[in-house]
Amino acid sequence: MVTLDRNNRVLVAQGLRRIRAGRCVPGIRALIEAAGRRLDQATAADLGFAVAPRLNAAGRLTDMSVGIACLLADDPVEAAQLAGQLTRLNEERREIEQRMQLEAVDIAAGCASTPSATSRSACVCSTKAGIKEWWTGGRQDQGSPASAGRCLRAGEDGSLRGSARSVSGVNIRDALEGVATHHPGIIVKFGGHAMAAGLTLAEANLDQFRAAFAAEIAARADLETLTGVIHSDGELQGAELSVDTARILRGGGPWGQGFPSRFSTANSRSSMPVSSATSI
């Protein structure tokens, strides 16, 4: 994932201004509208979590050319039809991932039987169909880091292939390189970067990989990463719990890798409900 430095933030911000003004290709407009978002209020989050998954779903389930055709379409009607097709593919992808995650969570629960954070730092979950998920720490919705890997499936040749996704503070590619260096032969091949990687290993090496991967994650991740410590920018006062504050936070973006969104806490005694585009 590319770091959102000053130059990248300028490019993203200017691109969003053009999109909000309607100065974008029909495909972008169609994808934003298919996601139920407003073009004139588009944010970086809309592109990252509404548009991109639709384009990504085509490559995962069928053919990425569908997404390319949508972005290159000059006819708004054609773009809308392709965006609808991508939306249906994305819904199918989400259903598949949800089923896989439920199965993986049940298996990963067995990795949490020990109170030691570092001993729970990695869990490789295997099933008859191969590895469904590998986890570092725990589940994001339980206040701990998200999964450090996803979907390794058994190939026809008996190998396990798949992709990995990391969490902040853990370079997943370096962790895999550490496994390959300290245990030659376990991994057939791998590649990637700090936040995402792919690998292939022989199914017979699964148990060795599980132990080696856990050791690498435990050695590289600090306690805050493993336990899901949340950093706050401070407490908001009652008068600050408003839609105006939410709009200011939203307008302060774009947020992303290396430039995280602002996160503040609210006094639990406050009776005013707040909804924002970032985190309040």
Side-chain angles (χ1 to χ4, degrees):
M1 194 175 294
V2 177
T3 300
L4 197 59
D5 60 17
R6 175 179 173 82
N7 291 334
N8 290 335
R9 292 191 74 232
V10 170
L11 290 172
V12 173
Q14 291 299 317
L16 284 170
R17 289 183 62 181
R18 285 163 172 75
I19 290 174
R20 293 184 194 123
R23 296 164 57 191
C24 60
V25 297
I28 293 294
R29 177 189 292 271
L31 286 166
I32 290 177
E33 292 176 349
R37 311 298 171 90
R38 289 183 52 173
L39 189 72
D40 62 343
Q41 296 181 2
T43 66
D46 292 330
L47 298 181
F49 299 105
V51 173
R54 283 166 166 76
L55 296 170
N56 190 34
R60 290 195 176 195
L61 298 184
T62 55
D63 186 349
M64 65 182 296
S65 64
V66 180
I68 295 174
C70 181
L71 293 176
L72 294 179
D74 294 323
D75 180 13
V77 175
E78 179 187 3
Q81 292 174 342
L82 291 169
Q85 184 178 347
L86 291 169
T87 296
R88 290 188 291 273
L89 288 171
N90 188 50
E91 291 171 353
E92 181 181 353
R93 175 194 62 80
R94 291 176 62 183
E95 291 175 359
I96 293 172
E97 287 191 354
Q98 287 173 358
R99 290 198 303 269
M100 293 177 65
Q101 184 176 12
L102 288 174
E103 182 180 354
V105 166
D106 288 339
I107 300 172
C111 298
S113 58
T114 170
S116 170
T118 54
S119 61
R120 296 199 314 268
S121 62
C123 178
V124 180
C125 307
S126 61
T127 69
K128 293 180 180 178
I131 302 174
K132 293 299 186 183
E133 302 244 0
W134 0 323
W135 302 80
T136 58
R139 292 172 55 191
Q140 191 172 26
D141 59 358
Q142 293 177 339
S144 52
S147 61
R150 293 183 179 174
C151 262
L152 276 146
R153 294 183 178 179
E156 295 180 356
D157 59 356
S159 63
L160 297 174
R161 302 185 182 92
S163 62
R165 298 294 181 271
S166 191
V167 293
S168 178
V170 179
N171 187 314
I172 194 69
R173 188 215 168 271
D174 287 354
L176 293 177
E177 183 176 39
V179 173
T181 300
H182 299 137
H183 306 274
I186 288 184
I187 299 178
V188 177
K189 60 181 178 179
F190 71 94
H193 53 82
M195 298 300 291
L199 79 158
T200 300
L201 67 150
E203 191 169 4
N205 293 335
L206 174 59
D207 289 339
Q208 286 180 284
F209 175 75
R210 178 187 289 114
F213 179 71
E216 287 294 331
I217 297 299
R220 295 170 183 277
D222 57 28
L223 185 60
E224 288 190 355
T225 298
L226 297 177
T227 56
V229 172
I230 298 176
H231 294 276
S232 169
D233 290 310
E235 183 177 310
L236 292 175
Q237 302 303 311
E240 297 171 318
L241 300 178
S242 65
V243 174
D244 287 340
T245 299
R247 287 173 176 164
I248 290 172
L249 290 173
R250 182 182 183 181
W255 315 104
Q257 182 73 12
F259 201 89
S261 61
R262 304 300 88 191
F263 183 88
S264 297
T265 56
N267 191 314
S268 61
R269 291 174 295 179
S270 174
S271 60
M272 182 184 295
V274 177
S275 174
S276 78
T278 55
S279 300
I280 296 183

